[in-house]
PDB file of all heavy atoms in Angstrom:
ATOM      1  N   THR Y   1     121.873  85.218 173.466  1.00  0.00           N
ATOM      2  CA  THR Y   1     122.633  84.030 173.834  1.00  0.00           C
ATOM      3  C   THR Y   1     121.949  82.824 173.201  1.00  0.00           C
ATOM      4  O   THR Y   1     120.856  82.935 172.629  1.00  0.00           O
ATOM      5  CB  THR Y   1     122.688  83.834 175.368  1.00  0.00           C
ATOM      6  OG1 THR Y   1     121.390  83.377 175.820  1.00  0.00           O
ATOM      7  CG2 THR Y   1     123.062  85.126 176.081  1.00  0.00           C
ATOM      8  N   SER Y   2     122.578  81.669 173.317  1.00  0.00           N
ATOM      9  CA  SER Y   2     121.961  80.451 172.774  1.00  0.00           C
ATOM     10  C   SER Y   2     120.705  80.069 173.540  1.00  0.00           C
ATOM     11  O   SER Y   2     119.920  79.242 173.076  1.00  0.00           O
ATOM     12  CB  SER Y   2     122.970  79.292 172.804  1.00  0.00           C
ATOM     13  OG  SER Y   2     123.448  79.098 174.115  1.00  0.00           O
ATOM     14  N   TRP Y   3     120.509  80.674 174.706  1.00  0.00           N
ATOM     15  CA  TRP Y   3     119.307  80.439 175.496  1.00  0.00           C
ATOM     16  C   TRP Y   3     118.276  81.534 175.303  1.00  0.00           C
ATOM     17  O   TRP Y   3     117.288  81.593 176.024  1.00  0.00           O
ATOM     18  CB  TRP Y   3     119.666  80.338 176.979  1.00  0.00           C
ATOM     19  CG  TRP Y   3     120.460  79.119 177.311  1.00  0.00           C
ATOM     20  CD1 TRP Y   3     121.812  79.043 177.479  1.00  0.00           C
ATOM     21  CD2 TRP Y   3     119.967  77.795 177.499  1.00  0.00           C
ATOM     22  NE1 TRP Y   3     122.174  77.758 177.770  1.00  0.00           N
ATOM     23  CE2 TRP Y   3     121.071  76.963 177.791  1.00  0.00           C
ATOM     24  CE3 TRP Y   3     118.692  77.230 177.461  1.00  0.00           C
ATOM     25  CZ2 TRP Y   3     120.936  75.608 178.029  1.00  0.00           C
ATOM     26  CZ3 TRP Y   3     118.563  75.867 177.704  1.00  0.00           C
ATOM     27  CH2 TRP Y   3     119.670  75.080 177.983  1.00  0.00           C
ATOM     28  N   GLY Y   4     118.514  82.444 174.353  1.00  0.00           N
ATOM     29  CA  GLY Y   4     117.600  83.547 174.132  1.00  0.00           C
ATOM     30  C   GLY Y   4     118.161  84.851 174.689  1.00  0.00           C
ATOM     31  O   GLY Y   4     119.301  84.896 175.146  1.00  0.00           O
ATOM     32  N   PRO Y   5     117.370  85.920 174.655  1.00  0.00           N
ATOM     33  CA  PRO Y   5     117.855  87.227 175.129  1.00  0.00           C
ATOM     34  C   PRO Y   5     118.139  87.222 176.624  1.00  0.00           C
ATOM     35  O   PRO Y   5     117.377  86.660 177.408  1.00  0.00           O
ATOM     36  CB  PRO Y   5     116.710  88.188 174.787  1.00  0.00           C
ATOM     37  CG  PRO Y   5     115.501  87.319 174.669  1.00  0.00           C
ATOM     38  CD  PRO Y   5     115.972  85.992 174.177  1.00  0.00           C
ATOM     39  N   TYR Y   6     119.258  87.831 177.001  1.00  0.00           N
ATOM     40  CA  TYR Y   6     119.676  87.933 178.399  1.00  0.00           C
ATOM     41  C   TYR Y   6     119.783  89.407 178.754  1.00  0.00           C
ATOM     42  O   TYR Y   6     120.483  90.172 178.073  1.00  0.00           O
ATOM     43  CB  TYR Y   6     121.017  87.228 178.587  1.00  0.00           C
ATOM     44  CG  TYR Y   6     121.559  87.279 179.996  1.00  0.00           C
ATOM     45  CD1 TYR Y   6     121.004  86.509 181.004  1.00  0.00           C
ATOM     46  CD2 TYR Y   6     122.627  88.123 180.319  1.00  0.00           C
ATOM     47  CE1 TYR Y   6     121.497  86.548 182.296  1.00  0.00           C
ATOM     48  CE2 TYR Y   6     123.133  88.171 181.619  1.00  0.00           C
ATOM     49  CZ  TYR Y   6     122.564  87.381 182.596  1.00  0.00           C
ATOM     50  OH  TYR Y   6     123.048  87.437 183.871  1.00  0.00           O
ATOM     51  N   VAL Y   7     119.093  89.824 179.811  1.00  0.00           N
ATOM     52  CA  VAL Y   7     119.073  91.233 180.213  1.00  0.00           C
ATOM     53  C   VAL Y   7     120.383  91.568 180.908  1.00  0.00           C
ATOM     54  O   VAL Y   7     120.731  90.967 181.926  1.00  0.00           O
ATOM     55  CB  VAL Y   7     117.880  91.527 181.143  1.00  0.00           C
ATOM     56  CG1 VAL Y   7     117.934  92.975 181.624  1.00  0.00           C
ATOM     57  CG2 VAL Y   7     116.568  91.250 180.415  1.00  0.00           C
ATOM     58  N   ILE Y   8     121.114  92.541 180.353  1.00  0.00           N
ATOM     59  CA  ILE Y   8     122.393  92.916 180.938  1.00  0.00           C
ATOM     60  C   ILE Y   8     122.346  94.276 181.630  1.00  0.00           C
ATOM     61  O   ILE Y   8     123.231  94.587 182.424  1.00  0.00           O
ATOM     62  CB  ILE Y   8     123.516  92.919 179.868  1.00  0.00           C
ATOM     63  CG1 ILE Y   8     123.156  93.854 178.715  1.00  0.00           C
ATOM     64  CG2 ILE Y   8     123.774  91.509 179.362  1.00  0.00           C
ATOM     65  CD1 ILE Y   8     124.285  94.041 177.701  1.00  0.00           C
ATOM     66  N   SER Y   9     121.315  95.067 181.332  1.00  0.00           N
ATOM     67  CA  SER Y   9     121.239  96.400 181.930  1.00  0.00           C
ATOM     68  C   SER Y   9     119.804  96.884 181.981  1.00  0.00           C
ATOM     69  O   SER Y   9     119.038  96.676 181.039  1.00  0.00           O
ATOM     70  CB  SER Y   9     122.088  97.384 181.098  1.00  0.00           C
ATOM     71  OG  SER Y   9     121.920  98.702 181.562  1.00  0.00           O
ATOM     72  N   ILE Y  10     119.428  97.507 183.111  1.00  0.00           N
ATOM     73  CA  ILE Y  10     118.130  98.165 183.271  1.00  0.00           C
ATOM     74  C   ILE Y  10     118.365  99.500 183.951  1.00  0.00           C
ATOM     75  O   ILE Y  10     119.141  99.582 184.901  1.00  0.00           O
ATOM     76  CB  ILE Y  10     117.151  97.312 184.119  1.00  0.00           C
ATOM     77  CG1 ILE Y  10     116.892  95.946 183.474  1.00  0.00           C
ATOM     78  CG2 ILE Y  10     115.831  98.053 184.312  1.00  0.00           C
ATOM     79  CD1 ILE Y  10     116.001  95.036 184.306  1.00  0.00           C
ATOM     80  N   HIS Y  11     117.716 100.528 183.457  1.00  0.00           N
ATOM     81  CA  HIS Y  11     117.827 101.879 184.030  1.00  0.00           C
ATOM     82  C   HIS Y  11     119.299 102.321 184.103  1.00  0.00           C
ATOM     83  O   HIS Y  11     119.720 103.018 185.027  1.00  0.00           O
ATOM     84  CB  HIS Y  11     117.188 101.905 185.428  1.00  0.00           C
ATOM     85  CG  HIS Y  11     116.985 103.287 185.979  1.00  0.00           C
ATOM     86  ND1 HIS Y  11     116.076 104.180 185.469  1.00  0.00           N
ATOM     87  CD2 HIS Y  11     117.592 103.934 187.029  1.00  0.00           C
ATOM     88  CE1 HIS Y  11     116.128 105.305 186.161  1.00  0.00           C
ATOM     89  NE2 HIS Y  11     117.032 105.184 187.110  1.00  0.00           N
ATOM     90  N   GLY Y  12     120.072 101.879 183.110  1.00  0.00           N
ATOM     91  CA  GLY Y  12     121.485 102.274 183.043  1.00  0.00           C
ATOM     92  C   GLY Y  12     122.400 101.527 183.977  1.00  0.00           C
ATOM     93  O   GLY Y  12     123.613 101.775 184.000  1.00  0.00           O
ATOM     94  N   LEU Y  13     121.857 100.598 184.759  1.00  0.00           N
ATOM     95  CA  LEU Y  13     122.674  99.824 185.703  1.00  0.00           C
ATOM     96  C   LEU Y  13     122.969  98.454 185.095  1.00  0.00           C
ATOM     97  O   LEU Y  13     122.076  97.638 184.901  1.00  0.00           O
ATOM     98  CB  LEU Y  13     121.952  99.667 187.040  1.00  0.00           C
ATOM     99  CG  LEU Y  13     122.703  98.925 188.142  1.00  0.00           C
ATOM    100  CD1 LEU Y  13     124.045  99.589 188.455  1.00  0.00           C
ATOM    101  CD2 LEU Y  13     121.832  98.831 189.393  1.00  0.00           C
ATOM    102  N   ALA Y  14     124.255  98.224 184.781  1.00  0.00           N
ATOM    103  CA  ALA Y  14     124.650  97.007 184.077  1.00  0.00           C
ATOM    104  C   ALA Y  14     125.153  95.933 185.019  1.00  0.00           C
ATOM    105  O   ALA Y  14     125.823  96.221 186.018  1.00  0.00           O
ATOM    106  CB  ALA Y  14     125.738  97.332 183.045  1.00  0.00           C
ATOM    107  N   ALA Y  15     124.817  94.689 184.691  1.00  0.00           N
ATOM    108  CA  ALA Y  15     125.341  93.551 185.426  1.00  0.00           C
ATOM    109  C   ALA Y  15     126.831  93.408 185.131  1.00  0.00           C
ATOM    110  O   ALA Y  15     127.312  93.864 184.096  1.00  0.00           O
ATOM    111  CB  ALA Y  15     124.594  92.285 185.006  1.00  0.00           C
ATOM    112  N   SER Y  16     127.550  92.796 186.057  1.00  0.00           N
ATOM    113  CA  SER Y  16     128.990  92.664 185.899  1.00  0.00           C
ATOM    114  C   SER Y  16     129.468  91.330 186.475  1.00  0.00           C
ATOM    115  O   SER Y  16     129.169  90.994 187.620  1.00  0.00           O
ATOM    116  CB  SER Y  16     129.708  93.811 186.622  1.00  0.00           C
ATOM    117  OG  SER Y  16     131.083  93.562 186.766  1.00  0.00           O
ATOM    118  N   THR Y  17     130.218  90.581 185.658  1.00  0.00           N
ATOM    119  CA  THR Y  17     130.791  89.336 186.155  1.00  0.00           C
ATOM    120  C   THR Y  17     131.879  89.623 187.193  1.00  0.00           C
ATOM    121  O   THR Y  17     132.083  88.843 188.120  1.00  0.00           O
ATOM    122  CB  THR Y  17     131.380  88.493 185.011  1.00  0.00           C
ATOM    123  OG1 THR Y  17     132.290  89.306 184.259  1.00  0.00           O
ATOM    124  CG2 THR Y  17     130.278  87.999 184.090  1.00  0.00           C
ATOM    125  N   ASP Y  18     132.565  90.759 187.045  1.00  0.00           N
ATOM    126  CA  ASP Y  18     133.607  91.122 188.019  1.00  0.00           C
ATOM    127  C   ASP Y  18     132.998  91.350 189.397  1.00  0.00           C
ATOM    128  O   ASP Y  18     133.569  90.960 190.422  1.00  0.00           O
ATOM    129  CB  ASP Y  18     134.357  92.381 187.564  1.00  0.00           C
ATOM    130  CG  ASP Y  18     135.192  92.145 186.323  1.00  0.00           C
ATOM    131  OD1 ASP Y  18     135.528  90.966 186.058  1.00  0.00           O
ATOM    132  OD2 ASP Y  18     135.480  93.122 185.608  1.00  0.00           O
ATOM    133  N   ASP Y  19     131.843  92.043 189.428  1.00  0.00           N
ATOM    134  CA  ASP Y  19     131.166  92.309 190.698  1.00  0.00           C
ATOM    135  C   ASP Y  19     130.200  91.197 191.082  1.00  0.00           C
ATOM    136  O   ASP Y  19     129.557  91.274 192.145  1.00  0.00           O
ATOM    137  CB  ASP Y  19     130.389  93.625 190.611  1.00  0.00           C
ATOM    138  CG  ASP Y  19     131.289  94.831 190.420  1.00  0.00           C
ATOM    139  OD1 ASP Y  19     132.469  94.744 190.813  1.00  0.00           O
ATOM    140  OD2 ASP Y  19     130.816  95.832 189.860  1.00  0.00           O
ATOM    141  N   ARG Y  20     130.058  90.185 190.209  1.00  0.00           N
ATOM    142  CA  ARG Y  20     129.121  89.075 190.425  1.00  0.00           C
ATOM    143  C   ARG Y  20     127.701  89.581 190.618  1.00  0.00           C
ATOM    144  O   ARG Y  20     126.956  89.121 191.512  1.00  0.00           O
ATOM    145  CB  ARG Y  20     129.563  88.240 191.639  1.00  0.00           C
ATOM    146  CG  ARG Y  20     130.941  87.599 191.458  1.00  0.00           C
ATOM    147  CD  ARG Y  20     131.465  87.014 192.746  1.00  0.00           C
ATOM    148  NE  ARG Y  20     130.649  85.929 193.251  1.00  0.00           N
ATOM    149  CZ  ARG Y  20     130.796  84.650 192.897  1.00  0.00           C
ATOM    150  NH1 ARG Y  20     131.737  84.309 192.046  1.00  0.00           N
ATOM    151  NH2 ARG Y  20     130.020  83.706 193.390  1.00  0.00           N
ATOM    152  N   THR Y  21     127.293  90.513 189.750  1.00  0.00           N
ATOM    153  CA  THR Y  21     125.955  91.065 189.823  1.00  0.00           C
ATOM    154  C   THR Y  21     125.157  90.695 188.576  1.00  0.00           C
ATOM    155  O   THR Y  21     125.731  90.468 187.509  1.00  0.00           O
ATOM    156  CB  THR Y  21     125.982  92.597 189.949  1.00  0.00           C
ATOM    157  OG1 THR Y  21     126.776  93.154 188.886  1.00  0.00           O
ATOM    158  CG2 THR Y  21     126.562  93.022 191.285  1.00  0.00           C
ATOM    159  N   TYR Y  22     123.845  90.630 188.735  1.00  0.00           N
ATOM    160  CA  TYR Y  22     122.951  90.319 187.613  1.00  0.00           C
ATOM    161  C   TYR Y  22     121.547  90.815 187.945  1.00  0.00           C
ATOM    162  O   TYR Y  22     121.238  91.126 189.091  1.00  0.00           O
ATOM    163  CB  TYR Y  22     122.933  88.807 187.348  1.00  0.00           C
ATOM    164  CG  TYR Y  22     122.218  87.990 188.402  1.00  0.00           C
ATOM    165  CD1 TYR Y  22     120.975  87.418 188.149  1.00  0.00           C
ATOM    166  CD2 TYR Y  22     122.777  87.784 189.671  1.00  0.00           C
ATOM    167  CE1 TYR Y  22     120.310  86.668 189.107  1.00  0.00           C
ATOM    168  CE2 TYR Y  22     122.133  87.034 190.627  1.00  0.00           C
ATOM    169  CZ  TYR Y  22     120.906  86.474 190.341  1.00  0.00           C
ATOM    170  OH  TYR Y  22     120.235  85.738 191.309  1.00  0.00           O
ATOM    171  N   TRP Y  23     120.704  90.882 186.918  1.00  0.00           N
ATOM    172  CA  TRP Y  23     119.311  91.248 187.111  1.00  0.00           C
ATOM    173  C   TRP Y  23     118.489  89.978 187.272  1.00  0.00           C
ATOM    174  O   TRP Y  23     118.415  89.157 186.358  1.00  0.00           O
ATOM    175  CB  TRP Y  23     118.796  92.084 185.929  1.00  0.00           C
ATOM    176  CG  TRP Y  23     119.220  93.516 186.029  1.00  0.00           C
ATOM    177  CD1 TRP Y  23     120.253  94.132 185.395  1.00  0.00           C
ATOM    178  CD2 TRP Y  23     118.595  94.507 186.846  1.00  0.00           C
ATOM    179  NE1 TRP Y  23     120.328  95.451 185.766  1.00  0.00           N
ATOM    180  CE2 TRP Y  23     119.315  95.723 186.659  1.00  0.00           C
ATOM    181  CE3 TRP Y  23     117.511  94.515 187.730  1.00  0.00           C
ATOM    182  CZ2 TRP Y  23     118.973  96.912 187.306  1.00  0.00           C
ATOM    183  CZ3 TRP Y  23     117.174  95.697 188.377  1.00  0.00           C
ATOM    184  CH2 TRP Y  23     117.907  96.870 188.159  1.00  0.00           C
ATOM    185  N   GLN Y  24     117.902  89.819 188.462  1.00  0.00           N
ATOM    186  CA  GLN Y  24     117.079  88.646 188.747  1.00  0.00           C
ATOM    187  C   GLN Y  24     115.609  88.996 188.587  1.00  0.00           C
ATOM    188  O   GLN Y  24     115.159  90.048 189.065  1.00  0.00           O
ATOM    189  CB  GLN Y  24     117.341  88.154 190.175  1.00  0.00           C
ATOM    190  CG  GLN Y  24     116.578  86.891 190.527  1.00  0.00           C
ATOM    191  CD  GLN Y  24     116.853  86.406 191.943  1.00  0.00           C
ATOM    192  OE1 GLN Y  24     117.042  87.215 192.841  1.00  0.00           O
ATOM    193  NE2 GLN Y  24     116.875  85.101 192.130  1.00  0.00           N
ATOM    194  N   PHE Y  25     114.850  88.118 187.948  1.00  0.00           N
ATOM    195  CA  PHE Y  25     113.426  88.360 187.723  1.00  0.00           C
ATOM    196  C   PHE Y  25     112.610  87.435 188.616  1.00  0.00           C
ATOM    197  O   PHE Y  25     112.849  86.229 188.677  1.00  0.00           O
ATOM    198  CB  PHE Y  25     113.074  88.158 186.253  1.00  0.00           C
ATOM    199  CG  PHE Y  25     113.643  89.219 185.370  1.00  0.00           C
ATOM    200  CD1 PHE Y  25     114.933  89.113 184.874  1.00  0.00           C
ATOM    201  CD2 PHE Y  25     112.899  90.358 185.066  1.00  0.00           C
ATOM    202  CE1 PHE Y  25     115.479  90.111 184.077  1.00  0.00           C
ATOM    203  CE2 PHE Y  25     113.438  91.365 184.270  1.00  0.00           C
ATOM    204  CZ  PHE Y  25     114.720  91.236 183.786  1.00  0.00           C
ATOM    205  N   LEU Y  26     111.642  88.036 189.325  1.00  0.00           N
ATOM    206  CA  LEU Y  26     110.846  87.309 190.309  1.00  0.00           C
ATOM    207  C   LEU Y  26     109.365  87.535 190.077  1.00  0.00           C
ATOM    208  O   LEU Y  26     108.950  88.577 189.553  1.00  0.00           O
ATOM    209  CB  LEU Y  26     111.190  87.778 191.727  1.00  0.00           C
ATOM    210  CG  LEU Y  26     112.666  87.812 192.114  1.00  0.00           C
ATOM    211  CD1 LEU Y  26     112.955  88.980 193.020  1.00  0.00           C
ATOM    212  CD2 LEU Y  26     113.034  86.527 192.819  1.00  0.00           C
ATOM    213  N   SER Y  27     108.587  86.554 190.506  1.00  0.00           N
ATOM    214  CA  SER Y  27     107.126  86.689 190.538  1.00  0.00           C
ATOM    215  C   SER Y  27     106.667  86.156 191.879  1.00  0.00           C
ATOM    216  O   SER Y  27     106.994  85.010 192.227  1.00  0.00           O
ATOM    217  CB  SER Y  27     106.474  85.893 189.404  1.00  0.00           C
ATOM    218  OG  SER Y  27     105.060  85.950 189.520  1.00  0.00           O
ATOM    219  N   ALA Y  28     105.970  86.970 192.632  1.00  0.00           N
ATOM    220  CA  ALA Y  28     105.529  86.597 193.988  1.00  0.00           C
ATOM    221  C   ALA Y  28     106.702  86.146 194.845  1.00  0.00           C
ATOM    222  O   ALA Y  28     106.587  85.222 195.650  1.00  0.00           O
ATOM    223  CB  ALA Y  28     104.460  85.506 193.923  1.00  0.00           C
TER     224      ALA Y  28
END
């Protein structure tokens, strides 16, 4: 993307705008 790489899938599980799901990254 224009903001850099965006993770759309991990371990075969893909984010979906229809389901309003995404991979969130956290620290502590």
Side-chain angles (χ1 to χ4, degrees):
T1 74
S2 56
W3 292 99
Y6 179 74
V7 176
I8 57 173
S9 173
I10 300 177
H11 192 69
L13 182 58
S16 166
T17 53
D18 293 338
D19 295 335
R20 298 169 64 87
T21 54
Y22 71 108
W23 280 99
Q24 183 180 36
F25 290 86
L26 309 144
S27 175

